[in-house]
Each structure stands twice: as C-alpha cells, then as structure tokens.
Amino acid sequence: MTDVTAMTATQIAGLVATGAASAVEVTQAHLDRIAAVDGRVNAFLHVDTEGALAAARDIDARRAAGEELGPLAGVPVAVKDVLTTKGVPTTVGSKILEGWRPPYDSTIVERLRAAGTVMLGKTNMDEFAMGSSTEYSAYGPSRNPWDTDRIPGGSGGGSAAALAAYEAPLAIGSDTGGSIRQPGAVTGTVGAKPTYGGTSRYGLVAFSSSLDTPGPCARTVLDAALLHAAIGGHDPRDSTSIPAPVPDVVAAAKLGATGDLSGVRLGIVTEFGGEGAEPGVMATFREAVDTLTKLGAEIVEISCPHFRYALPAYYLIAPSECSSNLARFDGVRFGLRTGDDGNRSLEEVMSLTREAGFGPEVKRRIMLGTYALSSGYYDAYYGQAQKVRTLITRDFTAAFERVDALISPTTPFVAFPLGARTSDPYQMYLADLFTIPSNLYGGPGISVPCGLSEGLPVGLQVMAPTMADDRMYRVAAALESAVGTFTPPAL
C-alpha cells in the first residue's frame, strides 16, 4: 500500500473494485500522506479524517454486500473550500466565514458522495476565489510541490497542490477566470473548466455568478474525464444549469489516448502569439504544437481580434457581480460578527465586520465593482464590458466554424516566487490572460501539461465550443499520450 498515493484514480478504482485493496486502506494511505507533507504545502484548510474513513468503510461494506458501484468508488477526492459541505467547515479562504459549518451539501458534493468517492477534506484557495496565486487566502498561501518557494496558482491552488503532492488523486476546483486551468498549468496537473451550466453552482459560494464554473482536477486526462462525468449534468436547483446530458467525455479521453488526431483541426489564436508571455513558455508550447501535428491534427492560425479586450472586460464584469454577491456577508445571518457590543448600530457592526473579515483583494474588487455599477457609470463601464463580452463570443463562434478547437498556452509564465506579484495587482491579473476569454464565452477549456521551462511545468490549453467538452478531452488525452505526465521532485 506504500505506493497507492502515486497511482492514478483509475488505478486506485481498479484496486478497490477487485478487492486488491480496501477503500479504508486507500483512504488511510492518503491521510498519512497529508499528515507527512501538508505542513510544507498547505494544500488543505480542513482534513475530515473521521468523515473520510466512515465513507470508506461504507464503500467497503456496500462492495462486500455485492452492490454494483460506480467507476470512482473508493477513490479519495479533495474539494475546494468554495463548495458547501454539510457539517464540514466551509470558509472560502476568508476570515468572514471562519468556523462556518453549512447545513447542506452542494450539488457537486452530493454527486461525489453518490459516485462513491471519499472526501478527504477542503482545500486552500484565494479568498472568495479572487486571486491567481493562493496568496490571498486568509489562512496562508499554498506552496507549489515543484518548488515550495513558488506559487501553485490560484484561486484553486490548494486543489492543484494536493494533486501534485500526491495527497489526493482527484480534486474539485472552480473556474471564474482560469482558477482551475492556471493552477493545473503551473503544478503540472490537469484542470478542466466545463461548459458554463454543465456543472451545478448550487452550493457554490458565489463570486461572479455569470462566470463561476465548478470542475474536475486530476493528474491524468482520463481521471479528469471520469470526475467530470460524475459531477456534471442538469440540476433543477441551479437556474443556469443546462438541461442536457454531459457529452461523453470519458469515451473522448479514451479515443484521444490512442494518439490519433487525424481529421481534427486546431486553431492557434493569433492574439496569443507571445506578447507578455515568457520565451520559455512559448517555446514549449510550439514544441507541443509540433507534437499535435505529428499526431495527425491540422493546425491553422485563427484571429480572434476582441480577445485582447477580455482582461479589462473581465475585471469590470467579475468585480461588479462580486460587489452584489458579497453584500450578503453582513455579520447578521452567518459567519463573523465584530463590534456588536449593544451600543453600535447595525450599519456600524456591518462595517466593522467587513473591515475585519474581508482581505485586501476582496475589498479592492468590491470597491471596483460598486463603482462600475454606480449611477452614471453603469453604461460606461459594466454595460460596455458586456458588449465586449458579446464580441468575444462572436469571435469564438466564428472560429469554431473553421476549427474543432482552439489551443494556446494556459498561462503566460511558469510558477513565480511567492510574494513576487502581490504588490502589483495588474501583474497578478495577467496570469489569467489566456484563460479569461473562455469564461466570458461560457465554453469549456482544459489545461494539460505539455513540457517544462526552467524545470517548471508549462500547460497547453484546449478551448472548445459550448457543450462540446468531449473535443477538448480528446485533444488533451492525445497530447498526454505523446508527452507523458510530469512528476515534481520528492518533497
């Protein structure tokens, strides 16, 4: 059992299904791994040891009783602390929800339990999913297992770090502007953002409601596809959920793993031609493009002229929605309450609570969003940004008339040192330069490791049309079959 933590989710599921290992043994091995290394990684905010072992015992009992279980039964999973978990702390990386134990499970967590996965605990994140490095967590930054002096990406750096550190074989993230894909790229793991509405937002603590998308994280493309299939699909409790089945992403990943991309047309976005990106990242990306060509794909260049406006449009739309969503954190209904000594007014208590409970990046975005929505500025800022969003959607639509999917580097640079960008928000925001367009469009995107630059992982991003998530899995799995997976130095 000493090697089980290095196995893929597919391999672990096979062990449990055949009885070669019990779910309890697998779970305990991962809990032991967390105890051994998480002091150096800080991937987890809460480890639910008792809950995990109880869930594992239940799987073993059901298996012994002859019950037919799903393909991920008995496989441990780490869950980003943005999803509600009944009776288990959900903080969203913020002091304002410190100690809050939700009375219900999110739909994603319900489906994880139904699939027989074993939830190990909740992973670290930038506060309210606002950030690109996990340095804005109120509970300290997570660290990249490739180099613990560097960031693991964000906002879902905890989930990606847990995978790269072999603390979990599967993880759940959420992607508002790249928060699944960018951490995947800088930690050498796989991160997939499904089509918006393809996974339920019920029980996801909201940042930007028109952008937030929960999704799977894993160490292989097939594992990510299996997790995607388990959590995806229509949810009547989410008004934005698409009433359609999840595309057969598992079959697409298996097809891609054959290494044959004959007949597949891929577009390289002209506007992502290297401006602002590190030379090493672009060189590794070009090598990956050559590999895709050798696998049979046809590569064409596609101009998406409005992609260059995606970053500023996003940083008006997302903060505006954040300003509205975070108004519920008032110190009255749940979470932190500060200054309620019986002498202060409701407004004073609310102000003191938010001052103490929100961190600097959350405050920055609330102020920016409130300004953009204020009387006299709405049309000039938020309204204009939504028009740009429409133009970006038209760029995608036109591109997908010519190609099956678009490809680009996932992020312009490899993992940067902790503290290198926290004093310059704009430099931090550039981490999502290549990922944000897919969020504004609503289409799926996946990051798959494609090589190393300066000894650190580089990710290739595949972007597909809405509800064509299977296309990105096929391309990603094909590339993975050719370049392999990447393992960080031992912690």
Side-chain angles (χ1 to χ4, degrees):
M1 290 303 298
T2 55
D3 294 328
V4 71
T5 58
M7 293 181 180
T8 66
T10 305
Q11 291 169 331
I12 292 171
L15 284 181
V16 176
T18 60
S22 69
V24 168
E25 289 174 316
V26 169
T27 300
Q28 189 62 59
H30 284 87
L31 291 171
D32 291 345
R33 175 68 177 173
I34 293 168
V37 304
D38 203 57
R40 283 167 280 169
V41 179
N42 196 30
F44 283 86
L45 292 179
H46 177 77
V47 179
D48 186 20
T49 301
E50 292 183 8
L53 290 172
R57 285 192 291 269
D58 179 63
I59 291 298
D60 287 337
R62 291 163 62 191
R63 179 88 61 195
E67 185 176 339
E68 188 173 336
L69 302 175
L72 291 177
V75 179
V77 61
V79 177
K80 186 178 180 181
D81 202 27
V82 71
L83 289 157
T84 58
T85 41
K86 185 176 181 179
V88 177
T90 300
T91 68
V92 206
S94 179
K95 290 293 185 184
I96 208 162
L97 280 180
E98 187 172 16
W100 182 56
R101 293 176 182 261
Y104 69 100
D105 278 334
S106 63
T107 294
I108 296 294
V109 171
E110 282 184 355
R111 291 180 177 177
L112 288 172
R113 297 193 198 280
T117 62
V118 175
M119 189 182 77
L120 295 170
K122 309 295 287 294
T123 57
N124 200 6
M125 58 182 287
D126 285 298
E127 185 180 6
F128 282 95
M130 300 178 198
S132 302
S133 66
T134 321
E135 292 173 287
Y136 293 128
S137 169
Y139 305 98
S142 293
R143 294 173 180 271
N144 194 326
W146 284 83
D147 179 347
T148 54
D149 290 327
R150 293 177 181 267
I151 59 103
S155 63
S159 288
L163 295 171
Y166 295 94
E167 296 175 286
L170 296 173
I172 296 293
S174 66
D175 197 305
T176 306
S179 293
I180 290 175
R181 290 162 289 159
Q182 184 254 4
V186 300
T187 58
T189 58
V190 177
K193 181 198 96 69
T195 295
Y196 177 80
T199 48
S200 174
R201 291 188 301 111
Y202 178 79
L204 176 82
V205 181
F207 161 22
S208 181
S209 300
S210 73
L211 299 166
D212 296 340
T213 308
C217 313
R219 288 194 293 267
T220 71
V221 174
L222 178 58
D223 284 357
L226 287 164
L227 187 54
H228 187 154
I231 64 173
H234 181 242
D235 178 13
R237 293 179 295 185
D238 176 3
S239 62
T240 59
S241 179
I242 298 171
V246 179
D248 196 345
V249 294
V250 175
K254 291 178 178 178
L255 175 61
T258 64
D260 183 8
L261 289 179
S262 300
V264 175
R265 299 190 81 205
L266 301 175
I268 297 177
V269 180
T270 304
E271 286 69 24
F272 291 165
E275 184 179 350
E278 293 176 349
V281 169
M282 293 308 300
T284 305
F285 170 69
R286 285 190 289 269
E287 290 173 7
V289 172
D290 291 341
T291 300
L292 292 169
T293 303
K294 292 174 184 175
L295 295 174
E298 179 186 353
I299 308 294
V300 299
E301 192 164 302
I302 296 283
S303 177
C304 297
H306 300 99
F307 278 22
R308 68 188 63 187
Y309 306 116
L311 192 71
Y314 173 88
Y315 279 102
L316 285 169
I317 293 169
S320 295
E321 295 182 6
C322 134
S323 167
S324 176
N325 278 321
L326 269 60
R328 72 193 66 178
F329 299 101
D330 53 13
V332 175
R333 286 165 285 190
F334 39 71
L336 180 72
R337 180 181 299 172
T338 300
D340 186 13
D341 58 4
N343 298 313
R344 291 187 171 96
S345 68
L346 173 63
E347 288 78 9
E348 288 175 309
V349 171
M350 192 181 301
S351 178
L352 288 168
T353 297
R354 290 171 173 167
E355 168 62 28
F358 288 143
E361 182 62 19
V362 171
K363 291 174 182 174
R364 182 182 294 120
R365 298 200 195 191
I366 289 173
M367 289 188 289
L368 178 60
T370 303
Y371 180 81
L373 292 176
S374 61
S375 177
Y377 293 101
Y378 178 96
D379 290 333
Y381 294 113
Y382 185 76
Q384 287 294 101
Q386 290 288 20
K387 291 176 183 177
V388 170
R389 186 177 192 171
T390 299
L391 295 174
I392 290 168
T393 298
R394 290 176 183 171
D395 282 352
F396 271 109
T397 302
F400 291 134
E401 290 176 357
R402 296 181 53 199
V403 297
D404 298 302
L406 296 172
I407 56 174
S408 75
T410 306
T411 188
F413 30 75
V414 295
F416 49 85
L418 289 161
R421 294 174 184 256
T422 48
S423 62
D424 188 343
Y426 179 71
Q427 288 300 315
M428 186 74 79
Y429 297 165
L430 286 175
D432 298 329
L433 184 66
F434 299 150
T435 53
I436 281 173
S438 284
N439 294 91
L440 294 174
Y441 162 57
I446 190 170
S447 177
V448 60
C450 66
L452 302 176
S453 172
E454 302 173 26
L456 295 168
V458 175
L460 178 138
Q461 177 182 215
V462 186
M463 298 168 278
T466 53
M467 293 306 291
D469 304 50
D470 51 326
R471 294 189 196 178
M472 69 180 186
Y473 279 101
R474 180 184 176 187
V475 176
L479 181 62
E480 180 184 72
S481 73
V483 303
T485 56
F486 297 85
T487 304
L491 285 168

